[in-house]
Amino acid sequence: MLSFEVCNAARLRRDARYDGRFFTAVKTTRIYCRPVCPVKHPLPRNVTYYPTAAAAEAAGYRPCLRCRPETAPFCPAWNGTRSTVARALKLIDGGALERGSVAALADRLGITARHLGRLFERHVGASPQQVATTRRMQRAKRLIDTTDDAMIEIAFRAGFGSVRRFNAAFAGLYGRSPSSLRASSRGRR
């Protein structure tokens, strides 16, 4: 955390270089702000500085409605919809669409399934389900190439709900069965 003197000088100058690096909490109003907030400067004796918005909130302060500290640089809101897509991708990697639906995933993110689809189209160029299928296929292909496990075991370890879906996905993508892929990869060794 920066010293009180550094934070105070940056706040009084409304120095944008410090935006997101600390938050100013005003004891008399119980509100915290960004250093670039356009409100009238409170007296230094009424100010406390926190390294994060979460720390200020934990101390009992509420965010300023004018400078919106939750949108400060380096916070998830600063990244906009990219952070939502990144969270969704992390959940997909964790198997969210293997056990649930796109609607359930969107609900966990606090948005609608339709909006999630739009965000994926804009940022990823594919639907959440297509991303999940591609990741399952990549896991399965890696297991086929690196292990001697049975195809049924590979199907379930890769996240497919059934061997039939596993075979259909391979036929759709590679135009052949998973076992023929293993045979051709062994022939190249």
Side-chain angles (χ1 to χ4, degrees), residues 135-148:
R135 298 221 169 146
R136 279 192 295 268
M137 292 293 289
Q138 290 168 345
R139 278 193 300 268
K141 180 75 169 74
R142 192 170 33 257
L143 289 169
I144 288 170
D145 290 342
T146 60
T147 69
D148 290 326

Side-chain angles (χ1 to χ4, degrees), residues 92-154:
I92 289 170
D93 283 342
L97 292 182
E98 293 164 21
R99 297 179 298 276
S101 66
V102 172
L105 173 64
D107 193 46
R108 284 178 70 180
L109 296 167
I111 58 176
T112 66
R114 185 174 173 192
H115 186 56
L116 181 62
R118 284 193 302 263
L119 293 178
F120 263 72
E121 194 59 43
R122 182 183 326 143
H123 295 289
V124 180
S127 72
Q129 197 62 52
Q130 289 166 327
V131 169
T133 300
T134 299
R135 298 221 169 146
R136 279 192 295 268
M137 292 293 289
Q138 290 168 345
R139 278 193 300 268
K141 180 75 169 74
R142 192 170 33 257
L143 289 169
I144 288 170
D145 290 342
T146 60
T147 69
D148 290 326
D149 295 346
M151 290 299 160
I152 189 168
E153 191 175 325
I154 290 173

